């Protein structure tokens, strides 16, 4: 019996993220959702537990495709890699020109560019789409970052807008750019997330070691911070985590969790691509490296007796409030640097790959639904609205003033941490980046001289145009030359 094409959107892959996204879609007026999973038991479980959704369920690709009204639109929510390629192959074999395949997983944007290039000749639209917000976001409203063609977005946009989180009346979705743009921006989002989490962890560690306050007391501090300029999802959940007591031991949960942070790769991708693009994302990089260090258990155990500061450090009770305020300001300044570096990478990626990315729109769609949602994203949107050619976010008037007001606290915190032997790689590297950015002259001149000495890599001069080389192994005279290819 032929299947009636009744669904305007389909979901392939019904693990938690896929199931929640399908339920979200089904809950919005105007959507009829087709669902398919390689293992039919997942499909059956979803449809049985949520009859109100009115899912159109299929057990074969043929029936799934037949259940979709044209232009057929299907969102893939399976593990990135070979699994995604396998599903794409099945759909492309059955789809027709004008149909749309959406990859909603955490794919590497290079894979998305490749897939779009391979699929494009068939006339089927391939749309790599970043989806942020985790399981809760998928169900209640994520931040969505679709790439793909403008034509495909005409069909897809209203569907995605129907399920996206809403901030100040605006759905948190925008057409980011062509081919891999959506997954690239989601990758950078995750990199910023790494930095944000590391900065928060460093702030917690400083307060706990410096003041001796308990996790529950520090939770109150973070809850208070969440009422001001640091208001964000990550600050909010930090307070909740620090308040949690372990049922088995009665200890704070944070004290019984093994101090080894996991990672799924997107942070490393952010740093790798920043290196390839020549963009310094030092705060994000140090956050990635901090997770790597946390997992080097054998090395850490071998090094635990290495010498540290000769005297124990603790903040006097009378100075505790001022120290905590310094940490808050240092956290805010470092957070600004993390976002500034992340947007630098988005700008560089857009230039490299030919994407027309609207930076202010990206800030707006991150205001709700996603993990890095925060109050000051409105400030970022305003900064790019005032100056779309802004060369560095930290130079925008609001952020310039914010860092100016925080920098003395920031410097005190980094200095105290160094003297006390408390690792603050994200705080420290963010401050070093800031000072490097504002320096009128950097010691890179010496490095370039060294490069010319051992490799004849040449150099430019501050006082006249041209490219030069000193005859180091000869009479040390200078000659004008062509740039070295080494």
């Amino acid at each position: 019996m032929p299947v009636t094409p009744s669904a305007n959107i389909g979901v392939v892959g019904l693990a938690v993220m896929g199931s929640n996204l399908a339920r979200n879609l089904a809950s919005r007026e105007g959507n009829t959702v087709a669902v398919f999973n390689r293992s039919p038991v997942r499909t059956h479980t979803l449809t049985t537990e949520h009859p109100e959704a009115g899912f159109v369920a299929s057990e074969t690709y043929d029936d799934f495709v037949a259940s979709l009204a044209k232009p057929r639109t299907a969102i893939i929510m399976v593990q990135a890699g070979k699994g995604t390629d396998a599903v794409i192959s099945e759909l492309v074999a059955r789809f027709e020109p004008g149909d749309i395949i959406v990859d909603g997983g955490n794919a590497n944007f290079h894979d998305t560019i490749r897939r779009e290039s391979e699929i494009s000749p068939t006339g089927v639209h391939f749309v790599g789409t970043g989806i942020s917000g985790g399981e809760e976001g998928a169900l209640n409203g994520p931040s969505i970052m679709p790439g793909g063609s403008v034509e495909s977005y005409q069909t897809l946009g209203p569907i995605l807008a129907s399920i996206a989180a809403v901030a100040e009346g605006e759905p948190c979705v925008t057409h980011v750019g062509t081919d891999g743009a959506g997954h690239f921006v989601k990758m950078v989002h995750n990199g910023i997330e790494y930095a944000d989490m590391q900065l928060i962890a460093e702030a917690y560690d400083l307060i706990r070691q410096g003041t001796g306050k308990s996790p529950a007391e520090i939770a109150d501090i973070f809850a208070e911070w969440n009422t001001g300029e640091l208001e964000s999802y990550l600050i909010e959940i930090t307070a909740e985590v620090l308040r949690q007591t372990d049922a088995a031991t009665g200890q704070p949960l944070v004290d019984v969790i093994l101090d080894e942070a996991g990672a799924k790769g997107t942070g490393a991708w952010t740093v790798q691509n920043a290196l390839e693009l020549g963009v310094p994302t030092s705060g994000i990089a140090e956050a990635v490296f901090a997770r790597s260090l946390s997992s080097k258990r054998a090395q850490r155990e071998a090094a635990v007796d290495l010498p540290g500061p000769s005297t124990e450090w603790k903040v006097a009770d009378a100075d505790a409030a001022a120290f905590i305020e310094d940490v808050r300001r240092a956290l805010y300044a470092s957070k600004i640097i993390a976002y500034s570096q992340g947007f630098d990478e988005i700008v560089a990626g857009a230039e490299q790959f030919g994407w027309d990315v609207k930076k202010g729109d990206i800030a707006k769609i991150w205001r709700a639904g996603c993990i890095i949602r925060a109050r000051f994203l409105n400030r970022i949107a305003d900064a790019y609205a005032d100056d779309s050619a802004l060369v560095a976010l930290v130079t925008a008037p609001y952020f310039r003033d914010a860092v100016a007001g925080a920098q003395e606290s920031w410097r005190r915190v980094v200095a105290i941490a160094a003297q006390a032997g408390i690792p603050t790689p994200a705080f420290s590297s963010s401050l070093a980046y800031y000072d490097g950015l504002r320096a009128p002259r950097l010691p890179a001149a010496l490095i370039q001289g060294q490069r010319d000495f051992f490799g004849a890599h040449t150099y430019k001069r501050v006082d006249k145009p041209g490219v030069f080389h000193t005859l180091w192994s000869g009479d040390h005279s200078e000659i004008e030359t062509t740039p070295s290819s080494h």
Side-chain angles (χ1 to χ4, degrees):
M1 181 176 174
V3 177
T4 303
S6 57
N8 67 312
I9 184 71
V11 177
V12 179
L14 302 177
V16 177
M17 281 291 289
S19 294
N20 282 2
L21 196 71
R23 289 171 57 196
N24 187 349
L25 284 160
S27 71
R28 312 296 173 159
E29 187 177 352
N31 289 337
T32 301
V33 184
V35 291
F36 172 79
N37 195 81
R38 184 177 62 174
S39 168
V41 67
R42 281 188 187 260
T43 310
H44 179 72
T45 299
L46 177 65
T47 56
T48 300
E49 291 181 353
H50 299 283
E52 77 286 351
F55 291 124
V56 180
S58 299
E59 295 191 2
T60 68
Y61 277 107
D62 286 337
D63 284 349
F64 173 73
V65 171
S67 71
L68 294 169
K70 296 180 181 180
R72 303 179 185 92
T73 304
I75 302 175
I76 301 171
M77 297 296 292
V78 300
Q79 189 171 6
K82 292 181 179 178
T84 299
D85 282 322
V87 175
I88 289 170
S89 249
E90 296 285 358
L91 293 178
V92 169
R94 294 165 174 83
F95 273 21
E96 298 174 354
D99 291 345
I100 303 166
I101 297 172
V102 181
D103 177 11
N106 263 340
N108 187 307
F109 79 95
H110 289 294
D111 287 336
T112 303
I113 292 173
R114 169 184 60 79
R115 287 165 179 152
E116 197 275 340
S117 178
E118 292 171 352
I119 293 168
S120 181
T122 69
V124 173
H125 298 284
F126 183 73
V127 182
T129 299
I131 299 176
S132 178
E135 298 171 11
E136 179 187 348
L139 180 61
N140 299 315
S143 173
I144 310 177
M145 295 151 261
S149 67
V150 173
E151 183 184 349
S152 65
Y153 194 68
Q154 291 174 351
T155 297
L156 189 60
I159 298 172
L160 297 181
S162 75
I163 63 166
V166 176
E168 299 178 23
E170 298 176 311
C172 292
V173 57
T174 190
H175 183 228
V176 176
T178 53
D179 54 60
H183 278 141
F184 182 91
V185 168
K186 174 57 162 58
M187 173 194 75
V188 175
H189 163 285
N190 285 22
I192 295 171
E193 178 185 310
Y194 273 61
D196 214 342
M197 293 172 72
Q198 177 65 26
L199 290 166
I200 290 169
E202 290 177 15
Y204 152 76
D205 196 30
L206 283 163
I207 294 172
R208 188 163 189 190
Q209 293 204 51
T211 68
K213 290 184 179 294
S214 68
E217 290 172 319
I218 301 173
D220 291 339
I221 292 169
F222 275 93
E224 174 63 26
W225 287 358
N226 200 47
T227 64
E229 61 192 2
L230 278 170
E231 180 188 348
S232 66
Y233 172 73
L234 285 171
I235 294 289
E236 176 188 339
I237 67 169
T238 297
E240 289 199 34
V241 171
L242 291 175
R243 282 201 184 100
Q244 184 68 19
T245 300
D246 176 51
T249 64
Q251 297 182 58
L253 179 64
V254 73
D255 288 345
V256 299
I257 296 175
L258 187 66
D259 59 336
E260 295 181 10
K264 291 189 175 180
T266 48
W269 292 350
T270 306
V271 177
Q272 289 162 358
N273 283 283
L275 288 169
E276 291 177 4
L277 292 166
V279 178
T281 56
S282 49
I284 296 170
E286 288 297 346
V288 174
F289 291 140
R291 293 196 191 188
S292 299
L293 179 62
S294 77
S295 299
K296 301 298 181 186
R297 181 60 57 184
Q299 290 182 335
R300 291 173 59 198
E301 289 176 353
V304 74
D305 292 328
L306 290 176
S310 56
T311 57
E312 186 175 344
W313 166 76
K314 188 176 184 299
V315 177
D317 290 345
D319 299 330
F323 173 70
I324 291 167
E325 176 60 12
D326 274 352
V327 173
R328 185 192 71 80
R329 291 179 178 179
L331 175 57
Y332 192 54
S334 299
K335 182 186 179 80
I336 289 169
I337 295 299
Y339 280 77
S340 188
Q341 291 181 345
F343 275 90
D344 284 348
E345 184 166 355
I346 290 172
V347 169
E351 291 175 355
Q352 176 72 22
F353 298 103
W355 301 322
D356 182 20
V357 178
K358 304 287 193 302
K359 287 137 353 237
D361 289 352
I362 300 303
K364 285 184 176 181
I365 68 170
W366 287 351
R367 290 178 300 173
C370 71
I371 303 301
I372 63 171
R373 58 187 183 263
R375 174 190 290 191
F376 90 145
L377 282 159
N378 269 325
R379 299 290 191 177
I380 296 177
D382 291 344
Y384 284 116
D386 292 341
D387 182 2
S388 61
L390 191 63
V391 294
L393 184 63
V394 71
T395 65
Y398 171 82
F399 294 110
R400 177 190 177 95
D401 291 347
V403 173
Q407 69 152 331
E408 294 304 325
S409 292
W410 198 7
R411 296 183 191 285
R412 280 194 294 270
V413 166
V414 169
I416 287 170
Q419 291 173 335
I422 298 173
T424 55
F427 274 175
S428 303
S429 65
S430 298
L431 178 57
Y433 168 84
Y434 172 74
D435 283 336
L437 196 63
R438 68 178 192 84
R441 186 163 172 81
L442 293 167
L446 175 59
I447 294 171
Q448 198 63 9
Q450 293 169 332
R451 294 180 73 243
D452 187 59
F453 189 105
F454 66 68
H457 291 294
T458 72
Y459 53 86
K460 295 179 181 179
R461 297 177 58 97
V462 299
D463 55 356
K464 58 183 176 180
V467 178
F468 301 89
H469 167 59
T470 292
L471 300 173
W472 299 102
S473 59
D475 62 3
H476 283 213
S477 62
E478 181 182 78
I479 60 172
E480 188 167 1
T481 183
T482 55
S484 170
S485 60
H486 298 288

